[in-house]
Amino acid sequence: MSTKEELKARICEIIDQRSQEVIGIAQHILENPEPGFREQKTARFVQEQFDKLELPHKDGLALTGVKSWVDGGSPGPTVAVIGELDSLRVFEHPKADPETGAAHACGHHAQIGMMLGAAMGLRLSGVLSELAGRVVFFAVPAEELIEVEYRDGLRRDGKIEFIGGKPELIRLGEFDDVDLAMMTHTTSVPDDRKLALSGTNNGLVVKQIQYVGRGAHAGGSPHLGINALNAAMLGIQGINALRETWRGDDTIRVHPIITRGGDAVSAVPSDVRMETFVRGSNIDAVLEWDKKVDRALRAGAMAVGAKVHITTIPGYLPLNNNQDMAGLYRDNAVQIVGEENIGFTGHRTGSTDMGDISQIIPTIHPYTGGATGIGHGADYLVHDWEQAVINPAKVMAMSVVDLLYGDAAKAREVMGTTRLPLTKDEYLKLLRGFAREEEWQG
Ligand SMILES: [Zn+2]
Ligand SMILES: [Zn+2]
């Protein structure tokens, strides 16, 4: 029987030996970006990597997800190491696909590298016989909440129910066998240092809005028209008028865009479309602002006598990091990068569907440095591959050892002491409760 520290040293040695291959995986994905639910090439590439490691895998989960697993020497809990497959769309990014604009401007390519690096370390070091339970390596689709219209089409065609990858995988039961979950996201924020533990993130719902008015000659007979653009602008003004009622701790974010503003300048706009997210730090705040935003949108229709059609689509739930798991991760991170290079992110007002996982499974979502530029921007690039891919691969694999060592006592302890906000059934009920379509005539 080896000590935990001996097992961790063997894993890190393997990951170091394979570091060029692991970094190469991340770089290959950087060169072949695909947005969510379209990650066919990326998924095939991940399948090939699992094949090379002689690991079994299930493919095509939530359209493109790939799930692999490996067992320890005795039965026990399952820990998932997750990486996200999808890119964003940023046409100006130097690594953008010139046709689709797909670009890895959020660092998910590094995540697939580190997930596979952790898989190599655990698989090839021979440590598994001294661990209990199972490790799942999970390449998951569609974390970025973009292309809402495309995904709504998939939803209406019955190909998916939820427009994010992890909610969809939860619905399909692909997290039913997972007891603990972890991933590491890249960051370019200098204050995060080399590895950062994270606190919480906002959750959100998505709204698609259509104002329907009546077209008429804008110069000759505007009195015969109903101006849908004016209705939309008043709807936005209504949201803006509510901003002073936000409570600080709820960290509300509502940021609408107009995606269709009129068709001909000589005609009164009759069909104006908008999209918005409604974000908040807790589920109650999202529920409250979901309704307030609808009220403001209806006011725009009422003022000019237009009709408003509001489609609300469930987005992501707020993220809570499990502090016990964060503690182990931190201890391992200190070993790899040193105490002085550990950061803490506090609350973030963006959103991730790792939040959904964290509502039903003990979860951590720490950050790794190694990137520069603005997240989701044209200049977001990994410059330190060792930090962005190799170090988090080691820290995650080491944390798996802590959880599953011996009889997986630590994993069992975390599972026994964590009070999760929701069961899977409550989660699905909550998400489905957000989904609705409303038509309102002003
Ligand atoms: Zn992102
Ligand atoms: Zn991301």
Side-chain angles (χ1 to χ4, degrees), residues 88 105-106 108 143-144 185 376:
L88 281 155
C106 198
H108 296 190
E143 186 278 328
E144 300 290 353
H185 198 294
H376 292 198

Side-chain angles (χ1 to χ4, degrees), residues 56-79:
H57 50 91
K58 270 172 89 177
D59 308 332
L61 305 173
L63 305 185
T64 53
V66 187
K67 181 182 183 182
S68 179
W69 61 91
V70 66
D71 287 321
S74 56
T78 296
V79 180

